[in-house]
Amino acid sequence: MRVAVAKTYKLYVGGAFVRSESGRHDQVNGANVPRGSRKDVRDAVKIARGAAGGWGRRTAYNRGQILYRAAEALESRAGEFGDDVGEAIDTFVHYAGWTDKLHAVLGTVNPVAAPFLSMSTPEPTGVVAVLLGSSASLPSLVESIAAPLAAGNVVVVQLPESDPLPGLDLGEVLGVSDIPAGVVNLLSGRASELVPALAAHRDVNAIIDATDDAELSKQIDTFASETLKRVLRTESDPLDLLAALTEIRTVWHPIGA
């Protein structure tokens, strides 16, 4: 009688599947799950920072195409996920549709009493850290990735501590989609180790705090205030979430003689 080989997952960082530098694993539902370290956080943020410029400069239409391709890739492997995978696929499609509408909805032409054309346009915030609760669902995970990407940001995600397998499986789906390397980075491990390291990192520009943990949220607020980054919570409306993930840049152009 043979003994089944347990699957050993890897972190998804920089478009590659890598082992945790710590070499530590946890057992989750019979699989070996890497326990990411502070060094893994630093590596993931550095790679995300390097990918942010290229992703932010892509056209909104192209970002929408890539998010739609992610939905297609997830649909093709839907049988490997739970009953909520349909909602997760629809979430990718929903935010794919938002990409080329953000400038029209959030941007403005400002009335000025001078010979200038003044325009305000939304710009990506940069690197967004996504901190999830211990048992966050797949649709919640997908929304926390798709919304920042639709707004031109890149993400480093701390996966749910007690159930990271759907997130790690999603990484395998994204690895064969068109999402460029470094735009999405997925870390599994202990929240008590990963969350403070992400919240305190100076190259992280914003945090989506979905931990639903009062003690962790208190730590996140403290680290965020020390490093001047935005913390987002309970944005139920997609447009409000997208607006909170952008900066508004106002430019002036002289007109006339």
Side-chain angles (χ1 to χ4, degrees):
M1 180 178 178
R2 66 179 296 273
V3 177
V5 177
K7 182 170 182 176
T8 298
Y9 285 91
K10 296 185 176 68
L11 308 174
Y12 182 59
V13 177
F17 299 97
V18 300
R19 300 180 189 279
S20 169
E21 64 83 27
S22 70
R24 299 172 301 179
H25 285 81
D26 292 316
Q27 282 277 331
V28 178
N29 294 333
N32 298 311
V33 174
R35 192 192 307 172
S37 67
R38 292 177 174 82
K39 174 68 162 55
D40 293 319
V41 169
R42 293 196 295 272
D43 290 345
V45 173
K46 181 178 179 181
I47 288 171
R49 173 59 61 190
W55 180 249
R57 286 192 295 272
R58 286 178 182 259
T59 65
Y61 179 68
N62 184 233
R63 287 201 300 270
Q65 288 179 308
I66 292 173
L67 286 175
Y68 189 83
R69 171 61 188 140
E72 289 179 333
L74 184 55
E75 182 80 60
S76 70
R77 295 180 57 173
E80 302 173 27
F81 293 85
D83 294 339
D84 57 356
V85 67
E87 185 181 346
I89 295 166
D90 291 347
T91 299
F92 267 131
V93 174
H94 177 84
Y95 283 100
W98 265 114
T99 55
D100 60 356
K101 300 170 183 66
L102 278 183
H103 278 73
V105 175
L106 299 179
T108 60
V109 176
N110 307 306
V112 292
F116 294 96
L117 175 62
S118 175
M119 297 180 296
S120 296
T121 57
E123 299 286 335
T125 293
V127 178
V128 177
V130 177
L131 312 177
L132 295 168
S134 62
S135 57
S137 67
L138 181 64
S140 297
L141 167 62
V142 168
E143 181 169 39
S144 69
I145 293 173
L149 264 57
N153 303 292
V154 299
V155 296
V156 179
V157 183
Q158 173 255 323
L159 295 173
E161 180 175 329
S162 64
D163 189 17
L165 299 188
L168 293 169
D169 287 331
L170 178 65
E172 295 182 357
V173 172
L174 299 181
V176 297
S177 71
D178 293 339
I179 293 177
V183 171
V184 176
N185 305 277
L186 305 176
L187 302 176
S188 57
R190 306 289 171 83
S192 59
E193 187 172 1
L194 300 182
V195 168
L198 271 170
H201 201 296
R202 293 185 181 278
D203 262 349
V204 171
N205 302 105
I207 297 171
I208 296 177
D209 176 13
T211 59
D212 197 26
D213 182 313
E215 185 57 36
L216 269 180
S217 293
K218 185 177 179 181
Q219 290 184 40
I220 291 166
D221 286 344
T222 300
F223 287 126
S225 64
E226 292 174 351
T227 50
L228 299 177
K229 56 175 65 79
R230 184 180 307 164
V231 180
L232 311 178
R233 297 187 180 99
T234 63
E235 295 289 357
S236 58
D237 183 81
L239 181 56
D240 290 342
L241 177 58
L242 289 164
L245 290 165
T246 59
E247 312 290 335
I248 298 298
R249 183 180 66 166
T250 297
V251 296
W252 297 67
H253 291 284
I255 57 175

